[in-house]
Amino acid sequence: MTDIATLFEPISKPAGADRRLINRFSAAWIRASRGDFPSWDELRKIDMGSDWNWVFVVDLAKSNGFPHFSYLGSNLAQLADIYLVDGSEWTVSVLDRASQEIGAAVANEGPHAVEDTLTLSDGRPLLFRCLTAPLAEDGLFITKVVGIVSGRLSSFNENVYTAVNDLV
C-alpha cells in the first residue's frame, strides 16, 4: 500500500491550497461550458498545468456498476491504492470515495462539491474535497462526468485540529 504522504510535496503550500484547486477547476468548467454542458475536448483546451494530475473522467455509457475511467490523472491513479476506514470495511479507496459523487453531478446537471473528513486505514484524518461536473459531447446530453480531488492530511493534538501536510 502506498503511503499517502509520499504522493505529495512536504508542507509548502498554505492550508487553503486544496480549495483553490477546486475553485480553479470550477472556473475552467464554467469557461468551457458557455451556457451548455462542456465536452471533455473543450475542457482539455484550458491550460490547467499540474492540476490535471488530480482530475478524473468517467464515461457513463461504459460504466456498468463500476465507474469506467476514461481519464485518470497521475496523482489520482496512485490514490486508488490508499484505503479508508469505512465502518468495518477496509476496501474503499480515496478514489472510490471521489467516484461516489458522480451521480450527484448528473442529478444536479451542474457542478457538485463535497467536503468530508475521511479516516485513512492507518487512522490519520484526511480533509477530503471533491468537485464533480457533467460533460456532454453534444452540449445537451450528459455522457461523462469530470471530477477533481484535493485535500489535506491532518492530525488531532489535544482536541485542536491543525493541518500538518497539504496534499496539493
Side-chain angles (χ1 to χ4, degrees):
M1 186 169 78
T2 305
D3 180 11
I4 196 167
T6 65
L7 296 178
F8 309 101
E9 297 177 28
I11 299 170
S12 63
K13 297 183 181 179
D18 54 323
R19 281 194 184 103
R20 287 191 291 277
L21 176 69
I22 297 289
N23 291 339
R24 285 192 305 269
F25 190 77
S26 178
W29 185 88
I30 290 168
R31 276 194 313 269
S33 71
R34 298 186 181 132
D36 291 326
F37 300 121
S39 71
W40 175 234
D41 291 338
E42 291 168 334
L43 189 59
R44 282 296 284 176
K45 290 177 185 175
I46 297 173
D47 180 13
M48 292 189 51
S50 63
D51 290 356
W52 290 115
N53 295 330
W54 298 100
V55 172
F56 66 88
V57 176
V58 172
D59 186 321
L60 298 175
K62 294 180 180 179
S63 297
N64 188 10
F66 298 98
H68 177 87
F69 293 95
S70 58
Y71 179 84
L72 190 60
S74 60
N75 291 347
L76 285 183
Q78 295 179 60
L79 288 181
D81 192 27
I82 306 297
Y83 293 96
L84 305 170
V85 175
D86 185 21
S88 62
E89 186 177 340
W90 288 59
T91 59
V92 176
S93 72
V94 175
L95 185 58
D96 292 329
R97 176 61 183 91
S99 65
Q100 291 173 0
E101 300 305 320
I102 293 166
V106 173
N108 290 346
E109 295 186 347
H112 169 74
V114 65
E115 278 190 34
D116 200 357
T117 300
L118 309 176
T119 304
L120 300 174
S121 60
D122 64 4
R124 291 180 292 172
L126 173 69
L127 297 175
F128 170 83
R129 291 186 177 89
C130 179
L131 179 110
T132 53
L135 299 173
E137 296 310 309
D138 63 1
L140 300 173
F141 297 102
I142 299 169
T143 55
K144 298 178 180 175
V145 172
V146 64
I148 191 162
V149 176
S150 69
R152 292 191 317 270
L153 285 173
S154 301
S155 69
F156 286 92
N157 185 5
E158 297 178 16
N159 297 325
V160 176
Y161 195 71
T162 56
V164 295
N165 193 3
D166 281 343
L167 290 181
V168 291

